[in-house]
Amino acid sequence: MIGLWDTTGNEVVKALAAERRSAGGVASGMALTLIVVVDEKRVREAEAAATIAAAAHPCRLVVVVRADVERERNRLDAEIVVGGRLGPCEAVVTRMYGRLALHAESVVMPLLVPDVPVVTWWHGEPPAEIATDFLGVVADRRITDSAQAADPIEALRQRARDYAPGDTDLAWTRITPWRTLVAGAFDTTQARVTEATVVAPASDPTAALMRGWLAARLGIEPVWQRTDEFPRMREVQLRCANGDELTLTREDSVATFRRTGQDDRQLPLVRRPLGDELAEELRRLDADQVYAEALGAAAGLSGLDQRPAQRVHVWKDPATAQRAEAGVTAHAGTSAEH
């Protein structure tokens, strides 16, 4: 590992090139560049997930930590790791202070691997508008996690309003095993589904996307049966036109599949590590039309996959926005007093 403190972008690029030459074959064959935007307190968690994903998708990992935007003096610190603790990838962990943190692209752009796709992953609360973050606009694929937001369901609606082909969310990735089991239930029947119910907490974004997926695929309006007894999606119930009922119920890492006239079956339904979820999303670098349809159905919007795939950067200074918001709040308080 090479540590560079109070450095410049040019020095980071030079140090990475030198470390690549030393590593030799370890640093060859990069399939993509993975940009990770994360807070300081979650850097190690993000690195652990990226290490798992890099085992399947050799990549250049660029971690962006916007440490202290309010600091008066700009500063850049960086760690460079090639073929070390982060597995078969080359990694640059950057910590940016001051106004430099608002222009992270000036450091990141020279670090992108030429002629390979770019994926940006926000490990934390997703941005309200990806177009206000250049690191999202430059990416071919953008991965958010609405479960990290204070209001996951509203965050998912915002993802739909802000959607462009190439966007995805880890809440969608988490229901891949559910969708596989539900779809597999119809391998031996042609019965039409007329009703569906999803049993889950009111704040579970996976349940919202499951309802959206069922609605988009089956042309029905699934019921959301809200419960506080379980921390995440508990059950999916389907009723068919021929009278059959199908139920998939999760208990820890096992799902019980029940179907009218058949014996119950136990099926694996394991909650996967974050790194496995990330690796799944890195398998495809094109737009996910099925996700777009499910997200649109969940949010009550249509035609998401018909939107332009190319995003256009819209610069907004968060410091200015915060001051303006504070001014509006103060003005409202003064008006209320009068």
Side-chain angles (χ1 to χ4, degrees):
M1 184 189 80
I2 298 177
L4 302 173
W5 316 120
D6 198 5
T7 187
T8 65
N10 286 336
E11 291 302 317
V12 174
V13 172
K14 291 177 183 177
L16 176 60
E19 191 69 3
R20 292 184 80 240
R21 286 193 294 271
S22 299
V26 176
S28 63
M30 296 293 102
L32 56 92
T33 300
L34 176 61
I35 303 172
V36 182
V37 184
V38 63
D39 293 334
E40 180 65 56
K41 62 183 178 181
R42 307 188 73 182
V43 170
R44 296 308 178 201
E45 185 179 312
E47 288 182 347
T51 300
I52 296 174
H57 311 280
C59 64
R60 176 174 293 174
L61 173 64
V62 181
V63 179
V64 176
V65 183
R66 294 180 171 115
D68 185 0
V69 178
E70 299 298 329
R71 180 179 290 191
E72 292 185 6
R73 179 175 176 272
N74 294 332
R75 172 171 167 160
L76 170 65
D77 295 341
E79 298 174 54
I80 299 172
V81 183
V82 177
R85 60 184 171 84
L86 299 181
C89 71
E90 48 188 57
V92 182
V93 182
T94 63
R95 291 175 172 84
M96 304 179 192
Y97 304 85
R99 299 288 296 179
L100 175 63
L102 303 179
H103 299 277
E105 67 275 7
S106 64
V107 176
V108 172
M109 289 297 287
L111 297 173
L112 302 183
V113 179
D115 302 322
V116 300
V118 177
V119 179
T120 298
W121 168 41
W122 289 268
H123 183 47
E125 184 164 357
E129 297 177 347
I130 290 177
T132 63
D133 191 331
F134 188 88
L135 300 181
V137 176
V138 75
D140 301 280
R141 193 144 169 83
R142 296 158 292 273
I143 305 173
T144 55
D145 190 351
S146 56
Q148 303 289 338
D151 185 344
I153 303 304
E154 177 55 33
L156 209 55
R157 295 192 190 103
Q158 178 58 28
R159 294 275 60 78
R161 291 190 288 267
D162 186 50
Y163 179 84
D167 294 359
T168 191
D169 196 277
L170 289 179
W172 172 250
T173 318
R174 293 183 186 113
I175 65 170
T176 297
W178 282 90
R179 293 187 291 120
T180 300
L181 294 179
V182 171
F186 293 91
D187 288 344
T188 58
T189 181
Q190 299 296 321
R192 181 174 60 88
V193 177
T194 57
E195 298 176 55
T197 300
V198 176
V199 181
S203 60
D204 188 352
T206 62
L209 286 172
M210 174 59 76
R211 288 183 68 241
W213 178 66
L214 292 171
R217 297 292 96 188
L218 302 175
I220 59 176
E221 187 63 34
V223 174
W224 190 335
Q225 183 177 320
R226 291 166 174 82
T227 177
D228 295 326
E229 297 181 20
F230 308 98
R232 53 188 182 275
M233 186 161 57
R234 166 71 171 177
E235 188 171 84
V236 174
Q237 305 165 1
L238 303 175
R239 285 165 286 282
C240 302
N242 63 359
D244 285 357
E245 293 191 4
L246 297 81
T247 304
L248 191 65
T249 306
R250 173 165 54 188
E251 188 69 49
D252 295 327
S253 298
V254 176
T256 301
F257 178 70
R258 299 181 178 89
R259 183 171 185 165
T260 303
Q262 296 184 8
D263 294 334
D264 292 354
R265 287 189 288 161
Q266 303 294 315
L267 304 169
L269 191 57
V270 179
R271 188 173 186 183
R272 298 173 295 171
L274 178 62
D276 288 349
E277 296 171 350
L278 180 61
E280 178 183 326
E281 286 303 330
L282 296 181
R283 289 192 192 108
R284 63 176 304 161
L285 297 172
D286 58 335
D288 189 341
Q289 184 177 356
V290 178
Y291 165 67
E293 293 173 352
L295 179 64
L301 300 174
S302 60
L304 267 61
D305 60 320
Q306 302 301 317
R307 294 180 182 179
Q310 184 176 8
R311 285 186 173 273
V312 178
H313 184 221
V314 179
W315 165 246
K316 289 185 180 180
D317 187 335
T320 303
Q322 288 174 2
R323 287 195 293 269
E325 184 177 338
V328 171
T329 303
H331 178 73
T334 303
S335 300
E337 291 176 1
H338 290 292

